[in-house]
Amino acid sequence: MSAGCITTCMASSYYPSSVADSPAATQSFNLKFQHNEKNGTHGRYRASLIMNPESFEVGRLIGSYGFMNVTSYSDFQSRPDIDSPSQLEDVGGLKFQDVREGNVQIRLYEGRVAQGPRRGTPIIFKVYPGKQIGGLEADMMASNELKSHAFLQSCSHSICENIQILLGGFETKTGEQWLAFRNDGKYSAADYAKASSEKLSRNRALGEQKFWNPFEEETNIKRKRSFIIKLLQGVLSGLAYMHDNERLHQSLGPSSVVLNTMVDKDAAYLVPRLRDLAFAADIRFSSLEENSYGLSEGLWRRARSSGAFTPMEKRAFGIADDIYGAGLLFAYLAFIPFCEAGIVDSLSLQRLIESTFKLDLTATREYCLADDRFSEAVKFLDLGNGAGWELLQVMLNPDFRNRPIAEAVLNHRFLTGALV
């Protein structure tokens, strides 16, 4: 997994205005499609995108975030915490990433379509900085995200409901690139986990005053389990659709999943959607043979270090890399919402699994079982005689060749919903 993101929310008053009213006049967005794409299905879909800035109204600023980019790369031999070749052998030569927050800061605005057949449709604007601020990387990310969505939305007659819908975009004269997405939810999986954890802390502080009925707490836990499984089903469905259509996500994390509700009892109405396709990678064999990687260079460098050299091997590595990212997301959702606030976060959980226990989920379970703060997370993964741990182990298998595809994960007994 080559990128993730951190969200920082900010609020301001909502003052709808036409984009065309901005002092920085706008121009049609440069899609930067390759010549051969303009004449294919991508070109046909391009005609349905809203490219006129006057067709939009911009509302309040709702947040900003920065992607986490891979900045260096090392294997076990260069890590001081690996003492012997036997330890390296135990984890099958798994490679680690060092990450830092990148320079590209993205802003989010509310808005709506102001004219045309989609008039009134609520949207979320994702604003990439111009080259002067964000550099070439920002321009490449915006272009890649737009092309990836346009490609996926033109792959079949029915658009996948588990991927955020792009409606259009434009570029300002200052170079900022605005992507307009249908507003199907302002929450993320990270928001849900944080809210759930904080609610748990408040309830525990109240003690018996909160749950005077002994069955109420049990009902709430069952609802939370159902919600998280429904969330994971949506994530894997979106990922399976991408992989079936020759695209990797490569930015999968808690903040890259949009939710239309965060209420556990509304799990039946939950529709998770994947977003943040700025680092999405094309894994068609024609693309892999060109060796023109751009934003995916880190991914293919890791592929080569893991012994994947041919286009077929690189494709398999890329898919397995997304599954590993989905596995880390699974672990995050299995722990954070079931623990009180401040007990564990995504980075400490990842270190526990990767560095402390070297991807041995049996050892991880024994450690967590001895700590009462993790008791509900352990019980969740213990469902079906340890079906959750079993699924987590195969998704995080040190050898990329032994990880399942997204469709197989979806069909695993832990995610079918039969155990909840």
Side-chain angles (χ1 to χ4, degrees), residues 200 204 217-222 224-225 228 333-340 368-369 371-383 389 414:
L200 183 61
R204 293 277 170 83
E217 185 171 13
E218 182 181 351
T219 299
N220 288 340
I221 290 172
K222 286 183 177 179
K224 185 182 294 187
R225 290 174 177 174
I228 290 171
L333 291 169
F335 276 86
I336 308 301
F338 291 101
C339 297
E340 292 186 53
C368 294
L369 193 62
D371 191 330
D372 289 341
R373 298 174 302 173
F374 298 132
S375 61
E376 288 302 330
V378 172
K379 290 177 184 177
F380 178 48
L381 293 169
D382 276 351
L383 291 174
W389 297 103
F414 188 79

Side-chain angles (χ1 to χ4, degrees), residues 277-347:
L277 304 190
F279 289 90
D282 184 350
I283 52 172
R284 290 174 295 182
F285 288 120
S286 58
S287 177
L288 294 173
E289 288 169 350
E290 288 176 1
N291 292 321
S292 178
Y293 300 137
L295 294 169
S296 302
E297 176 54 36
L299 167 66
W300 305 127
R301 184 172 64 245
R302 287 185 286 117
R304 292 191 296 271
S305 297
S306 296
F309 297 101
T310 68
M312 185 171 291
E313 290 170 339
K314 288 190 287 188
R315 183 181 184 278
F317 178 89
I319 290 173
D321 199 55
D322 265 0
I323 294 298
Y324 188 92
L328 292 177
L329 176 59
F330 175 18
Y332 175 92
L333 291 169
F335 276 86
I336 308 301
F338 291 101
C339 297
E340 292 186 53
I343 298 300
V344 65
D345 58 29
S346 59
L347 290 178

Side-chain angles (χ1 to χ4, degrees), residues 87-102:
Q87 284 181 280
L88 175 61
E89 198 172 299
D90 288 341
V91 292
L94 178 73
K95 305 299 188 293
F96 277 77
Q97 306 172 53
D98 296 316
V99 298
R100 66 174 174 83
E101 188 170 1

Side-chain angles (χ1 to χ4, degrees), residues 73-84:
Y73 176 74
S74 60
D75 59 21
F76 276 110
Q77 286 96 329
S78 62
R79 289 175 61 91
D81 54 324
I82 301 299
D83 299 321
S84 66

Side-chain angles (χ1 to χ4, degrees), residues 1-4 239 242 248-252 276 279-281 296 298-299 302 317-319 321-322:
M1 184 177 65
S2 64
L239 200 60
M242 291 187 68
L248 303 178
H249 189 285
Q250 284 299 291
S251 239
L252 199 57
D276 296 335
F279 289 90
S296 302
L299 167 66
R302 287 185 286 117
F317 178 89
I319 290 173
D321 199 55
D322 265 0

Side-chain angles (χ1 to χ4, degrees), residues 124 164 182-187 258-261 273 275:
I124 295 290
Q164 195 174 40
R182 193 176 69 190
N183 186 352
D184 290 310
K186 302 173 186 176
Y187 315 110
V258 179
L259 310 178
N260 60 331
T261 180
R273 291 178 172 87
R275 68 175 180 186

